[in-house]
PDB file of all heavy atoms in Angstrom:
ATOM      1  N   GLU A   1     135.189 160.083 124.516  1.00 93.00           N
ATOM      2  CA  GLU A   1     134.183 160.894 123.820  1.00 93.00           C
ATOM      3  C   GLU A   1     134.849 162.021 123.038  1.00 93.00           C
ATOM      4  O   GLU A   1     134.435 162.346 121.929  1.00 93.00           O
ATOM      5  CB  GLU A   1     133.171 161.461 124.822  1.00 93.00           C
ATOM      6  CG  GLU A   1     132.085 162.298 124.186  1.00 93.00           C
ATOM      7  CD  GLU A   1     131.243 161.564 123.141  1.00 93.00           C
ATOM      8  OE1 GLU A   1     131.172 160.315 123.156  1.00 93.00           O
ATOM      9  OE2 GLU A   1     130.648 162.256 122.274  1.00 93.00           O
ATOM     10  N   ALA A   2     135.893 162.616 123.593  1.00 92.00           N
ATOM     11  CA  ALA A   2     136.620 163.673 122.877  1.00 92.00           C
ATOM     12  C   ALA A   2     137.220 163.132 121.587  1.00 92.00           C
ATOM     13  O   ALA A   2     137.187 163.805 120.547  1.00 92.00           O
ATOM     14  CB  ALA A   2     137.704 164.265 123.770  1.00 92.00           C
ATOM     15  N   VAL A   3     137.756 161.920 121.623  1.00 91.00           N
ATOM     16  CA  VAL A   3     138.310 161.307 120.409  1.00 91.00           C
ATOM     17  C   VAL A   3     137.203 161.082 119.388  1.00 91.00           C
ATOM     18  O   VAL A   3     137.365 161.407 118.204  1.00 91.00           O
ATOM     19  CB  VAL A   3     139.048 159.990 120.745  1.00 91.00           C
ATOM     20  CG1 VAL A   3     139.387 159.209 119.479  1.00 91.00           C
ATOM     21  CG2 VAL A   3     140.310 160.279 121.545  1.00 91.00           C
ATOM     22  N   ARG A   4     136.060 160.542 119.821  1.00 92.00           N
ATOM     23  CA  ARG A   4     134.936 160.335 118.885  1.00 92.00           C
ATOM     24  C   ARG A   4     134.474 161.657 118.275  1.00 92.00           C
ATOM     25  O   ARG A   4     134.187 161.733 117.079  1.00 92.00           O
ATOM     26  CB  ARG A   4     133.781 159.623 119.590  1.00 92.00           C
ATOM     27  CG  ARG A   4     134.022 158.132 119.806  1.00 92.00           C
ATOM     28  CD  ARG A   4     132.772 157.419 120.304  1.00 92.00           C
ATOM     29  NE  ARG A   4     132.436 157.771 121.668  1.00 92.00           N
ATOM     30  CZ  ARG A   4     132.970 157.217 122.756  1.00 92.00           C
ATOM     31  NH1 ARG A   4     133.884 156.276 122.635  1.00 92.00           N
ATOM     32  NH2 ARG A   4     132.594 157.596 123.958  1.00 92.00           N
ATOM     33  N   GLN A   5     134.419 162.707 119.082  1.00 95.00           N
ATOM     34  CA  GLN A   5     134.007 164.016 118.581  1.00 95.00           C
ATOM     35  C   GLN A   5     135.032 164.586 117.604  1.00 95.00           C
ATOM     36  O   GLN A   5     134.673 165.234 116.614  1.00 95.00           O
ATOM     37  CB  GLN A   5     133.768 164.983 119.750  1.00 95.00           C
ATOM     38  CG  GLN A   5     132.549 164.655 120.572  1.00 95.00           C
ATOM     39  CD  GLN A   5     131.273 164.758 119.773  1.00 95.00           C
ATOM     40  OE1 GLN A   5     131.087 165.648 118.952  1.00 95.00           O
ATOM     41  NE2 GLN A   5     130.366 163.801 120.002  1.00 95.00           N
ATOM     42  N   ALA A   6     136.303 164.355 117.868  1.00 94.00           N
ATOM     43  CA  ALA A   6     137.350 164.834 116.954  1.00 94.00           C
ATOM     44  C   ALA A   6     137.228 164.140 115.600  1.00 94.00           C
ATOM     45  O   ALA A   6     137.337 164.786 114.549  1.00 94.00           O
ATOM     46  CB  ALA A   6     138.731 164.602 117.551  1.00 94.00           C
ATOM     47  N   ILE A   7     136.994 162.829 115.597  1.00 94.00           N
ATOM     48  CA  ILE A   7     136.815 162.101 114.343  1.00 94.00           C
ATOM     49  C   ILE A   7     135.572 162.617 113.628  1.00 94.00           C
ATOM     50  O   ILE A   7     135.588 162.821 112.404  1.00 94.00           O
ATOM     51  CB  ILE A   7     136.720 160.576 114.596  1.00 94.00           C
ATOM     52  CG1 ILE A   7     138.042 160.043 115.171  1.00 94.00           C
ATOM     53  CG2 ILE A   7     136.321 159.830 113.324  1.00 94.00           C
ATOM     54  CD1 ILE A   7     139.255 160.240 114.276  1.00 94.00           C
ATOM     55  N   SER A   8     134.509 162.872 114.362  1.00 94.00           N
ATOM     56  CA  SER A   8     133.289 163.431 113.767  1.00 94.00           C
ATOM     57  C   SER A   8     133.561 164.798 113.135  1.00 94.00           C
ATOM     58  O   SER A   8     133.078 165.100 112.037  1.00 94.00           O
ATOM     59  CB  SER A   8     132.205 163.544 114.844  1.00 94.00           C
ATOM     60  OG  SER A   8     131.033 164.082 114.320  1.00 94.00           O
ATOM     61  N   HIS A   9     134.347 165.627 113.802  1.00 94.00           N
ATOM     62  CA  HIS A   9     134.713 166.945 113.267  1.00 94.00           C
ATOM     63  C   HIS A   9     135.510 166.792 111.969  1.00 94.00           C
ATOM     64  O   HIS A   9     135.250 167.485 110.980  1.00 94.00           O
ATOM     65  CB  HIS A   9     135.521 167.723 114.302  1.00 94.00           C
ATOM     66  CG  HIS A   9     135.958 169.070 113.841  1.00 94.00           C
ATOM     67  ND1 HIS A   9     135.135 170.166 113.884  1.00 94.00           N
ATOM     68  CD2 HIS A   9     137.128 169.484 113.295  1.00 94.00           C
ATOM     69  CE1 HIS A   9     135.787 171.209 113.386  1.00 94.00           C
ATOM     70  NE2 HIS A   9     136.991 170.823 113.030  1.00 94.00           N
ATOM     71  N   LEU A  10     136.476 165.869 111.975  1.00 93.00           N
ATOM     72  CA  LEU A  10     137.267 165.628 110.769  1.00 93.00           C
ATOM     73  C   LEU A  10     136.373 165.140 109.633  1.00 93.00           C
ATOM     74  O   LEU A  10     136.553 165.546 108.482  1.00 93.00           O
ATOM     75  CB  LEU A  10     138.379 164.615 111.045  1.00 93.00           C
ATOM     76  CG  LEU A  10     139.489 165.083 111.974  1.00 93.00           C
ATOM     77  CD1 LEU A  10     140.437 163.929 112.289  1.00 93.00           C
ATOM     78  CD2 LEU A  10     140.237 166.267 111.402  1.00 93.00           C
ATOM     79  N   GLU A  11     135.397 164.288 109.944  1.00 93.00           N
ATOM     80  CA  GLU A  11     134.474 163.808 108.909  1.00 93.00           C
ATOM     81  C   GLU A  11     133.669 164.960 108.303  1.00 93.00           C
ATOM     82  O   GLU A  11     133.470 165.016 107.096  1.00 93.00           O
ATOM     83  CB  GLU A  11     133.510 162.770 109.485  1.00 93.00           C
ATOM     84  CG  GLU A  11     134.138 161.424 109.655  1.00 93.00           C
ATOM     85  CD  GLU A  11     133.152 160.367 110.074  1.00 93.00           C
ATOM     86  OE1 GLU A  11     132.434 160.556 111.080  1.00 93.00           O
ATOM     87  OE2 GLU A  11     133.102 159.326 109.400  1.00 93.00           O
ATOM     88  N   ARG A  12     133.215 165.863 109.151  1.00 93.00           N
ATOM     89  CA  ARG A  12     132.395 166.986 108.661  1.00 93.00           C
ATOM     90  C   ARG A  12     133.205 167.989 107.844  1.00 93.00           C
ATOM     91  O   ARG A  12     132.688 168.597 106.913  1.00 93.00           O
ATOM     92  CB  ARG A  12     131.727 167.709 109.829  1.00 93.00           C
ATOM     93  CG  ARG A  12     130.587 166.948 110.457  1.00 93.00           C
ATOM     94  CD  ARG A  12     129.790 167.797 111.450  1.00 93.00           C
ATOM     95  NE  ARG A  12     130.596 168.517 112.425  1.00 93.00           N
ATOM     96  CZ  ARG A  12     131.013 168.009 113.586  1.00 93.00           C
ATOM     97  NH1 ARG A  12     130.732 166.768 113.908  1.00 93.00           N
ATOM     98  NH2 ARG A  12     131.724 168.745 114.414  1.00 93.00           N
ATOM     99  N   HIS A  13     134.478 168.188 108.199  1.00 92.00           N
ATOM    100  CA  HIS A  13     135.237 169.282 107.594  1.00 92.00           C
ATOM    101  C   HIS A  13     136.397 168.873 106.685  1.00 92.00           C
ATOM    102  O   HIS A  13     136.877 169.704 105.914  1.00 92.00           O
ATOM    103  CB  HIS A  13     135.759 170.207 108.693  1.00 92.00           C
ATOM    104  CG  HIS A  13     134.670 170.817 109.508  1.00 92.00           C
ATOM    105  ND1 HIS A  13     133.871 171.840 109.039  1.00 92.00           N
ATOM    106  CD2 HIS A  13     134.208 170.514 110.739  1.00 92.00           C
ATOM    107  CE1 HIS A  13     132.978 172.158 109.958  1.00 92.00           C
ATOM    108  NE2 HIS A  13     133.162 171.372 111.000  1.00 92.00           N
ATOM    109  N   LEU A  14     136.857 167.632 106.777  1.00 88.00           N
ATOM    110  CA  LEU A  14     138.028 167.235 105.993  1.00 88.00           C
ATOM    111  C   LEU A  14     137.822 165.982 105.154  1.00 88.00           C
ATOM    112  O   LEU A  14     138.781 165.471 104.585  1.00 88.00           O
ATOM    113  CB  LEU A  14     139.231 167.019 106.922  1.00 88.00           C
ATOM    114  CG  LEU A  14     139.706 168.248 107.682  1.00 88.00           C
ATOM    115  CD1 LEU A  14     140.836 167.877 108.625  1.00 88.00           C
ATOM    116  CD2 LEU A  14     140.164 169.333 106.729  1.00 88.00           C
ATOM    117  N   CYS A  15     136.613 165.501 105.087  1.00 88.00           N
ATOM    118  CA  CYS A  15     136.351 164.266 104.349  1.00 88.00           C
ATOM    119  C   CYS A  15     135.900 164.614 102.933  1.00 88.00           C
ATOM    120  O   CYS A  15     134.707 164.734 102.649  1.00 88.00           O
ATOM    121  CB  CYS A  15     135.301 163.433 105.085  1.00 88.00           C
ATOM    122  SG  CYS A  15     135.025 161.830 104.346  1.00 88.00           S
ATOM    123  N   PHE A  16     136.883 164.809 102.069  1.00 86.00           N
ATOM    124  CA  PHE A  16     136.596 165.128 100.665  1.00 86.00           C
ATOM    125  C   PHE A  16     137.782 164.714  99.816  1.00 86.00           C
ATOM    126  O   PHE A  16     138.862 164.417 100.321  1.00 86.00           O
ATOM    127  CB  PHE A  16     136.294 166.616 100.481  1.00 86.00           C
ATOM    128  CG  PHE A  16     137.450 167.517 100.815  1.00 86.00           C
ATOM    129  CD1 PHE A  16     138.382 167.861  99.847  1.00 86.00           C
ATOM    130  CD2 PHE A  16     137.592 168.039 102.092  1.00 86.00           C
ATOM    131  CE1 PHE A  16     139.451 168.695 100.148  1.00 86.00           C
ATOM    132  CE2 PHE A  16     138.659 168.872 102.408  1.00 86.00           C
ATOM    133  CZ  PHE A  16     139.581 169.200 101.426  1.00 86.00           C
ATOM    134  N   THR A  17     137.573 164.702  98.532  1.00 83.00           N
ATOM    135  CA  THR A  17     138.663 164.425  97.592  1.00 83.00           C
ATOM    136  C   THR A  17     138.594 165.465  96.482  1.00 83.00           C
ATOM    137  O   THR A  17     137.586 166.156  96.324  1.00 83.00           O
ATOM    138  CB  THR A  17     138.562 162.989  97.020  1.00 83.00           C
ATOM    139  OG1 THR A  17     139.747 162.711  96.284  1.00 83.00           O
ATOM    140  CG2 THR A  17     137.338 162.814  96.150  1.00 83.00           C
ATOM    141  N   ARG A  18     139.669 165.558  95.743  1.00 83.00           N
ATOM    142  CA  ARG A  18     139.707 166.495  94.620  1.00 83.00           C
ATOM    143  C   ARG A  18     139.876 165.702  93.340  1.00 83.00           C
ATOM    144  O   ARG A  18     140.629 164.727  93.289  1.00 83.00           O
ATOM    145  CB  ARG A  18     140.853 167.486  94.789  1.00 83.00           C
ATOM    146  CG  ARG A  18     140.666 168.379  95.998  1.00 83.00           C
ATOM    147  CD  ARG A  18     141.796 169.321  96.185  1.00 83.00           C
ATOM    148  NE  ARG A  18     143.049 168.563  96.304  1.00 83.00           N
ATOM    149  CZ  ARG A  18     144.238 169.105  96.264  1.00 83.00           C
ATOM    150  NH1 ARG A  18     144.372 170.394  96.113  1.00 83.00           N
ATOM    151  NH2 ARG A  18     145.322 168.375  96.378  1.00 83.00           N
ATOM    152  N   ARG A  19     139.197 166.127  92.313  1.00 83.00           N
ATOM    153  CA  ARG A  19     139.285 165.466  91.011  1.00 83.00           C
ATOM    154  C   ARG A  19     139.367 166.517  89.918  1.00 83.00           C
ATOM    155  O   ARG A  19     139.192 167.696  90.146  1.00 83.00           O
ATOM    156  CB  ARG A  19     138.026 164.606  90.767  1.00 83.00           C
ATOM    157  CG  ARG A  19     137.894 163.445  91.721  1.00 83.00           C
ATOM    158  CD  ARG A  19     137.771 162.146  90.965  1.00 83.00           C
ATOM    159  NE  ARG A  19     137.870 161.003  91.836  1.00 83.00           N
ATOM    160  CZ  ARG A  19     136.855 160.355  92.331  1.00 83.00           C
ATOM    161  NH1 ARG A  19     135.630 160.722  92.048  1.00 83.00           N
ATOM    162  NH2 ARG A  19     137.050 159.312  93.096  1.00 83.00           N
ATOM    163  N   GLY A  20     139.597 166.019  88.732  1.00 88.00           N
ATOM    164  CA  GLY A  20     139.631 166.910  87.577  1.00 88.00           C
ATOM    165  C   GLY A  20     140.967 167.594  87.406  1.00 88.00           C
ATOM    166  O   GLY A  20     141.917 167.364  88.154  1.00 88.00           O
ATOM    167  N   LYS A  21     141.009 168.458  86.416  1.00 90.00           N
ATOM    168  CA  LYS A  21     142.240 169.169  86.105  1.00 90.00           C
ATOM    169  C   LYS A  21     142.709 169.976  87.308  1.00 90.00           C
ATOM    170  O   LYS A  21     141.969 170.791  87.857  1.00 90.00           O
ATOM    171  CB  LYS A  21     142.025 170.087  84.909  1.00 90.00           C
ATOM    172  CG  LYS A  21     143.287 170.779  84.479  1.00 90.00           C
ATOM    173  CD  LYS A  21     143.101 171.609  83.241  1.00 90.00           C
ATOM    174  CE  LYS A  21     144.446 172.222  82.894  1.00 90.00           C
ATOM    175  NZ  LYS A  21     144.395 173.040  81.719  1.00 90.00           N
ATOM    176  N   ASP A  22     143.936 169.713  87.719  1.00 89.00           N
ATOM    177  CA  ASP A  22     144.556 170.399  88.854  1.00 89.00           C
ATOM    178  C   ASP A  22     143.752 170.249  90.154  1.00 89.00           C
ATOM    179  O   ASP A  22     143.876 171.071  91.056  1.00 89.00           O
ATOM    180  CB  ASP A  22     144.770 171.879  88.545  1.00 89.00           C
ATOM    181  CG  ASP A  22     145.720 172.094  87.385  1.00 89.00           C
ATOM    182  OD1 ASP A  22     146.684 171.308  87.262  1.00 89.00           O
ATOM    183  OD2 ASP A  22     145.489 173.042  86.604  1.00 89.00           O
ATOM    184  N   GLY A  23     142.907 169.226  90.230  1.00 85.00           N
ATOM    185  CA  GLY A  23     142.140 168.971  91.446  1.00 85.00           C
ATOM    186  C   GLY A  23     141.129 170.042  91.765  1.00 85.00           C
ATOM    187  O   GLY A  23     140.806 170.290  92.918  1.00 85.00           O
ATOM    188  N   ARG A  24     140.596 170.678  90.742  1.00 90.00           N
ATOM    189  CA  ARG A  24     139.684 171.807  90.960  1.00 90.00           C
ATOM    190  C   ARG A  24     138.292 171.390  91.414  1.00 90.00           C
ATOM    191  O   ARG A  24     137.568 172.194  91.996  1.00 90.00           O
ATOM    192  CB  ARG A  24     139.576 172.640  89.680  1.00 90.00           C
ATOM    193  CG  ARG A  24     140.856 173.362  89.379  1.00 90.00           C
ATOM    194  CD  ARG A  24     140.725 174.227  88.158  1.00 90.00           C
ATOM    195  NE  ARG A  24     142.033 174.769  87.807  1.00 90.00           N
ATOM    196  CZ  ARG A  24     142.342 175.237  86.637  1.00 90.00           C
ATOM    197  NH1 ARG A  24     141.446 175.240  85.663  1.00 90.00           N
ATOM    198  NH2 ARG A  24     143.538 175.715  86.406  1.00 90.00           N
ATOM    199  N   THR A  25     137.917 170.150  91.145  1.00 91.00           N
ATOM    200  CA  THR A  25     136.591 169.683  91.546  1.00 91.00           C
ATOM    201  C   THR A  25     136.694 168.994  92.903  1.00 91.00           C
ATOM    202  O   THR A  25     137.478 168.068  93.086  1.00 91.00           O
ATOM    203  CB  THR A  25     136.030 168.685  90.509  1.00 91.00           C
ATOM    204  OG1 THR A  25     136.020 169.310  89.229  1.00 91.00           O
ATOM    205  CG2 THR A  25     134.636 168.236  90.879  1.00 91.00           C
ATOM    206  N   THR A  26     135.910 169.463  93.849  1.00 90.00           N
ATOM    207  CA  THR A  26     135.900 168.884  95.196  1.00 90.00           C
ATOM    208  C   THR A  26     134.658 168.016  95.343  1.00 90.00           C
ATOM    209  O   THR A  26     133.556 168.444  95.034  1.00 90.00           O
ATOM    210  CB  THR A  26     135.887 169.996  96.263  1.00 90.00           C
ATOM    211  OG1 THR A  26     137.057 170.804  96.092  1.00 90.00           O
ATOM    212  CG2 THR A  26     135.875 169.417  97.658  1.00 90.00           C
TER     213      THR A  26
END
């Protein structure tokens, strides 16, 4: 359960990409 919660935390806080000039658009 701790592993599942850690993955859920990463999804909520680190699941994004950057685009555009110098990666300014998140």
Side-chain angles (χ1 to χ4, degrees):
E1 181 59 22
V3 169
R4 284 189 289 277
Q5 290 297 320
I7 296 300
S8 180
H9 179 82
L10 292 173
E11 283 186 307
R12 287 190 311 274
H13 300 285
L14 297 176
C15 186
F16 63 89
T17 189
R18 295 179 303 169
R19 295 236 170 97
K21 184 176 181 180
D22 297 324
R24 291 183 187 160
T25 304
T26 300

